[in-house]
Amino acid sequence: MLEYWQSLEQLANSPETLERISREFPDYQPEQIISLSRRRFMKLMSASMALAGITLTGCRRWPKEELAPYSSNPRESTPGTAQHFATVYEIGGVGHGLLVTSYDGRPIKIEGNPSHPYSKTFDGKLGAADAFAQASLLELYDPDRSRFPVNRTAASPRQASWVEFESMMASLSPLDGKGFAVLSEATSSPSVLALRDEILKSRPQAQWFEHEPIVQQTSRKVLDLTNADVVVLLDSDLFGAHPAHVRYANDWAKRRRSADEHRGMNRMYMAESALTITGSVADERIGVRPSRLGHIAMAVAARLGVSGSVAPANLSPEEIKFVDHASADLKNNGVINAGDHLPVEIQQIVDAINQSIGAVGKRVTHLQAPANPAQSISKLSEQIKSGAITSVLIIGGNPGYNAPADLDFASVLSSVPKSVHLSLHDNETSRRCKWHVPRAHYLESWGDARAWDGTASIQQPLILPLFDGKSVIEILALLTSSAGKSPRDIVRRTFATLTGTDSDKAFNQALQDGVVPTSQYKTAALQSSSLSAAMPAETRGFELRFLPDQKVLDGRFANNGWLQELPDSLTKLTWDNAALLSKKDADDLGVTNGDMIRISVGDRSLEIAAFILPGQPIGVIGLPLGYGRSAAGRVGNGVGFNAYVLRTVTGSTYLSGATVARTGTTYNFSTTQEHHIIDEIGFKGREERIGEKGHSGPIIREATLAEYEKNPRAAHEGQHEAIPLPLFQPPSQFNNPNAWGMAIDMNACIGCNACVVACQAENNIPIVGKDQVANGREMHWLRVDRYFKGTADDRNPEIAFQPMMCVHCENAPCEQVCPVAATTHDSEGLNVMVYNRCIGTRYCSNNCPYKVRRFNYFDWHS
């Protein structure tokens, strides 16, 4: 049996997989080179071409606030010289510090801000940014972005002017605010919140509502993973879905990378209702039904003797083992955390555990987040139906698409006499409103935001609005005494309130650093509360777990081609979502990958394709959100399945009592999980061949810390030494005095794919679309392979990630076989490619041990 495998088909040595492995170029099909029309290519590539400067021109932000065309040849700028600007990107009400590179007035690359506490790497020398931040650059140049206000008050929509819109805004709300409401996406922007308070104060009968489809915890906790030897998580995806995931991933990696120094590694336990990135790197993981998480939390509390805890009597053997190990380890400088979406009763149990083990104030800190007067979208829906609300201003978001299904908010919104939606795209919500207003991208506008711990940062524009959009601050200011003031002046006023100084020097320093000093939230004392012994009852049928998608999140990135084509870290799906099933559940249902199933809960149902994911908890169906859009744009329309149709007000994270039936039809996925299988790990008898001449053994090599301390080369046992290739001429001494090189610490890699998007942005790598990915023609220069370890029936298989890229070999095998010297060395020792020499023989791919070469020749046709 294979020790490491990429798919269940490979583990079973299916004939299709064996045939695929046996072919030198398994995805090369000559008949497919004419399968993509030039028109389809242009549609997919439109945003990337705009980023490359084919269709758009840019202007940069000058210190005197005079954004001028680059033709004015500003004296302080040197053509072709990079300039870096600190800014902040807010998503889900949490700010992420960024450092944006601009060339000749055009933003072209995004990194994390090394000065920001939640965006810097563990050593503080570099900045870290996730895949969403990296890909947000493509969103700036998206040609599908809205370009002008749209008036839908008449029978047919028409383009309107800003003067007409501002005239309408003057009559949107009466002076007392009666019948007027603002529905906002979550925000921590001090300037926006100040404008909110001014609106509610000046219009005493106006109301403010807030909606985010991905549930955020109301209380703020900050974990210090650098000082925790043991971390126990209950459905808490710290490295994937948590708002502070960039910081937490770096803090966890710091302890992994410093194993030699500490003579040990931190240890992580995870009990989760869906396989996540965090769970994939946990030392001990179990997959459970969502209804079991409260029982596990209470069991851990009882093992530790927490006051008021009652030991559950119905734990499974697997759960007992997990609870015993986690409880024993938590006493050793540990901390426990529960997912933001879990009920308050579980949060109280977790808080009591942390208090009992002495973690509060050391490894977990509670913060005083400002009170939020916003009401829920459910209340707004009720008041619209009753006629109490007659005019609505919607700031961002897309509630017409992602509001709970039982609210039927899209229809409710259509009945509002006056409604305005500010958004980047004319989306599903905009088309239900009487007015749509184009929103300025965060790289085009002034603003501010707070990080998870409250650290404030200033958002500054790097380029004039490409499509004449307006920022949130500009729209809200129309309803206040700040109407007519520049957004910069409003942000500057807020800065003075935060810091107590109106100094130009202080403001410019904060602008340069990307951090407002001493702006963090104050710490809060943990309030003790009695623990509830009432636990969820056992449920029948399947439990549905609604998940933020790793690529499109809640659907806001559906029109971003870089993210759509990014393979999911665990499923390796591109351009799609799926109903994630365990192998046991799939076998019981008679379902295989791609079979269409109908999931029903009450009177609601969803038809969606099934995908078998090892490690998925039995009895739980994972449903990634954000797909099935109808007004996302040319790239995102009609991609995947809309799981929001099953979500309700009380079942926004998980639902119980679902039934599943096959429809009898199938669906084609584009998944990359078998695109790079190598015969060393694909055929039976591999183990017997290890050690033979010319055979290097498993491609995944692992060893425990104890084995490593005993023998630093423990992971390389059985590996033969590479035979140097003969060169046509003696190699140059490239390593004197410096050498190029990149190394990846496999202890720290979590397979998040941020590096894949960063590489795509750095090199403006094109996307090819779902059909071509299915043919193995994805163009990523860097990939992260995912391997499972265990049996096909293993409920909790181990997972290993292995990044693969061209390593620029100094003695490169690809250079020895290219008949036209297209791949060669440069003067600094880097293996480079002269593209206009390449004639597509694929000899270099045949000779490359890493299989990282790509060939996408097409016979274009109209």
Side-chain angles (χ1 to χ4, degrees), residues 568-583:
D568 183 273
S569 293
L570 299 168
T571 65
K572 293 301 173 184
L573 285 174
T574 68
W575 294 95
D576 256 317
N577 63 338
L580 307 178
L581 299 172
S582 68
K583 185 175 184 301

Side-chain angles (χ1 to χ4, degrees), residues 130-141:
D130 63 10
F132 296 130
Q134 296 280 352
S136 67
L137 183 69
L138 189 66
E139 185 180 60
L140 169 67
Y141 297 101

Side-chain angles (χ1 to χ4, degrees), residues 458-492:
I458 299 172
Q459 173 186 301
Q460 62 174 317
L462 279 79
I463 191 171
L464 276 174
L466 297 172
F467 303 117
D468 199 24
K470 302 298 181 184
S471 67
V472 174
I473 290 176
E474 290 175 283
I475 297 300
L476 290 179
L478 295 175
L479 301 174
T480 71
S481 60
S482 298
K485 290 186 177 180
S486 73
R488 183 184 187 277
D489 290 341
I490 296 175
V491 171
R492 175 69 183 272

Side-chain angles (χ1 to χ4, degrees), residues 234-237 270-280 285-290 293 341 543-548 570 580 613-618 620-624 653 796:
L234 303 178
D235 228 17
S236 179
D237 186 13
M270 169 68 92
E272 58 181 356
S273 58
L275 180 60
T276 64
I277 288 179
T278 311
S280 70
R285 172 196 178 270
I286 59 170
V288 297
R289 296 168 72 100
L293 291 165
H341 57 278
E543 293 188 39
L544 306 182
R545 177 71 166 88
F546 298 104
L547 305 167
L570 299 168
L580 307 178
L613 179 63
Q616 178 70 15
I618 295 174
V620 182
I621 300 177
L623 293 175
T653 302
N796 301 298

